[in-house]
Amino acid sequence: MKKIIISLLAAALLTGCGSSAEKAAFAVTNVQSLDELLPEQATLEKPKFSGKVEEGIKTYEFDGFSIDLPAAWVASEENGKEYYLDQVEGAAYMFNSHADDNGLTSDEIIERHLEALEGKSPEEIVLPSDQITDKNGNVLTLGQIAYTEGGAASVLQLVICRAQNSFLTFKGTCPDPSKRQQLLDSLDAAARTVAFDPVLESISGRKYKVEAESCVIDLKSDKTFKITYDRNDKATVTGTYKVYRGNGALDALENSEGIDSAPKLSYIRGAKIPVMSYYAVVFTYKEVTRWGNKANSKAYNVVVDGFDKDGMLEMYNHTTCISQVWEPAK
């Protein structure tokens, strides 16, 4: 369930268009299948305009993201379906979905939507800048698709967050097809206020016991680590590490180790494992000691990747070629 925060700061209102609002849309939902891209829309009766326009903006907080919309836009609901109506212009704006990207690239997501809109004369719009960074540091890719629907101008707005392995779609519709540009501008302005939640990972700052290699891995909160081996040579390793999650882990595997990540992604999809359960840890070994003496002459990287399953990490070390289970240790 969302909550609404009213901003006391004045803001420029997003421009609407059209003479009546004919469409509503489903409220934001987690769509598990990318085949359900564009749910059928319901009709609605246009509310009577009171003549009063609220100034400023409202921040709408949903599960996983927030967005700023003009306070003048009235949030309405009909049979569980939600839309936002520009009282002055009569244009309707609504969310379609908040969905997992299933490991697809931004181009693939946009292509899937173009295919879903086949028969409605879809046209992908190239924006002046298709990437922005939100207030939480997430890089977002924006895209727009303009199409006709029952003679009306419609625009589908996409906001894709690769770091979160998810994307949003919301749309605007105007009965007057000549008003398409106003829809494009309004939706682009709204999209640039979207902020996804920060990407959180639960690996850092913890110790793990790894029986397969008879060691304890201490991943310190300051991004340094110490690996202590339980064997005769009293080996230890210290250095720094980076943790990657989801799509970022797939990229790290390919960029750091030079391994094609496509088979890994195929496995994730086939096993129906949430992409955000996939992790990669890149260790930079700075000092390796055995028998109390330094055993390495220069720093080097070791990449370990795998899946978080209820706090147990099923990992694979690409240097030792050993499958591991990281079990939380005290």
Side-chain angles (χ1 to χ4, degrees), residues 213-257:
E213 298 205 47
S214 301
C215 69
V216 172
I217 301 174
D218 184 2
L219 301 180
K220 302 179 186 295
S221 298
D222 63 359
K223 298 302 179 181
T224 64
F225 74 89
K226 182 176 183 180
I227 302 176
T228 304
Y229 290 88
D230 182 15
R231 61 194 195 193
N232 292 335
D233 62 3
K234 300 180 181 180
T236 62
V237 182
T238 57
T240 59
Y241 72 95
K242 293 182 180 179
V243 177
Y244 301 89
R245 187 179 181 188
N247 282 324
L250 291 167
D251 293 342
L253 186 66
E254 190 161 6
N255 296 334
S256 299
E257 192 65 16

Side-chain angles (χ1 to χ4, degrees), residues 41-70:
Q41 313 232 335
T43 59
L44 65 93
E45 182 179 351
K46 177 182 174 182
K48 294 182 180 179
F49 177 40
S50 64
K52 297 180 180 180
V53 177
E54 189 174 353
E55 296 183 354
I57 62 171
K58 290 181 180 179
T59 299
Y60 292 82
E61 292 191 350
F62 296 90
D63 183 16
F65 72 96
S66 66
I67 186 172
D68 294 344
L69 297 176

Side-chain angles (χ1 to χ4, degrees), residues 18-301:
S19 58
S20 65
E22 297 180 343
K23 301 285 183 180
F26 292 93
V28 176
T29 56
N30 287 316
V31 179
Q32 297 303 315
S33 170
L34 289 177
D35 294 329
E36 300 175 27
L37 293 174
L38 299 170
E40 184 180 355
Q41 313 232 335
T43 59
L44 65 93
E45 182 179 351
K46 177 182 174 182
K48 294 182 180 179
F49 177 40
S50 64
K52 297 180 180 180
V53 177
E54 189 174 353
E55 296 183 354
I57 62 171
K58 290 181 180 179
T59 299
Y60 292 82
E61 292 191 350
F62 296 90
D63 183 16
F65 72 96
S66 66
I67 186 172
D68 294 344
L69 297 176
W73 289 9
V74 178
S76 303
E77 187 174 315
E78 178 186 347
N79 299 325
K81 303 177 180 74
E82 197 167 73
Y83 63 96
Y84 302 86
L85 183 70
D86 185 329
Q87 294 182 93
V88 177
E89 302 293 346
Y93 298 88
M94 63 288 292
F95 286 103
N96 276 37
S97 65
H98 178 196
D100 294 338
D101 68 12
N102 203 24
L104 296 178
T105 66
S106 298
D107 288 344
E108 288 171 330
I109 291 170
I110 293 173
E111 183 62 30
R112 290 288 296 275
H113 282 80
L114 286 168
E115 292 173 358
L117 289 166
E118 188 177 1
K120 296 185 178 181
S121 303
E123 178 187 351
E124 182 181 353
I125 305 299
V126 179
L127 300 175
S129 175
D130 65 351
Q131 284 196 336
I132 61 173
T133 301
D134 70 15
K135 64 182 181 182
N136 292 322
N138 296 299
V139 176
L140 309 181
T141 299
L142 308 183
Q144 292 182 319
I145 300 173
Y147 59 100
T148 57
E149 188 174 35
S154 294
V155 173
L156 189 70
Q157 177 73 53
L158 294 94
V159 182
I160 302 165
C161 183
R162 182 170 173 80
Q164 293 281 10
N165 292 97
S166 65
F167 65 91
L168 310 175
T169 61
F170 51 108
K171 67 170 286 187
T173 195
C174 284
D176 184 353
S178 69
K179 302 292 186 179
R180 185 181 78 166
Q181 188 58 50
Q182 293 183 50
L183 281 179
L184 290 168
D185 293 343
S186 294
L187 288 170
D188 178 52
R192 291 175 186 276
T193 71
V194 168
F196 281 80
D197 291 347
V199 178
L200 301 177
E201 50 91 357
S202 59
I203 292 180
S204 297
R206 301 178 66 182
K207 288 184 179 181
Y208 295 92
K209 181 179 180 181
V210 183
E211 289 189 3
E213 298 205 47
S214 301
C215 69
V216 172
I217 301 174
D218 184 2
L219 301 180
K220 302 179 186 295
S221 298
D222 63 359
K223 298 302 179 181
T224 64
F225 74 89
K226 182 176 183 180
I227 302 176
T228 304
Y229 290 88
D230 182 15
R231 61 194 195 193
N232 292 335
D233 62 3
K234 300 180 181 180
T236 62
V237 182
T238 57
T240 59
Y241 72 95
K242 293 182 180 179
V243 177
Y244 301 89
R245 187 179 181 188
N247 282 324
L250 291 167
D251 293 342
L253 186 66
E254 190 161 6
N255 296 334
S256 299
E257 192 65 16
I259 295 175
D260 182 6
S261 62
K264 182 74 68 172
L265 180 56
S266 179
Y267 171 76
I268 291 171
R269 289 172 174 167
K272 297 183 178 179
I273 298 171
V275 182
M276 292 301 281
S277 294
Y278 175 61
Y279 282 88
V281 182
V282 179
F283 294 96
T284 299
Y285 282 27
K286 292 189 175 180
E287 184 169 303
V288 180
T289 63
R290 294 188 179 94
W291 306 107
N293 299 313
K294 187 174 180 180
N296 64 311
S297 59
K298 61 181 179 179
Y300 59 95
N301 288 346

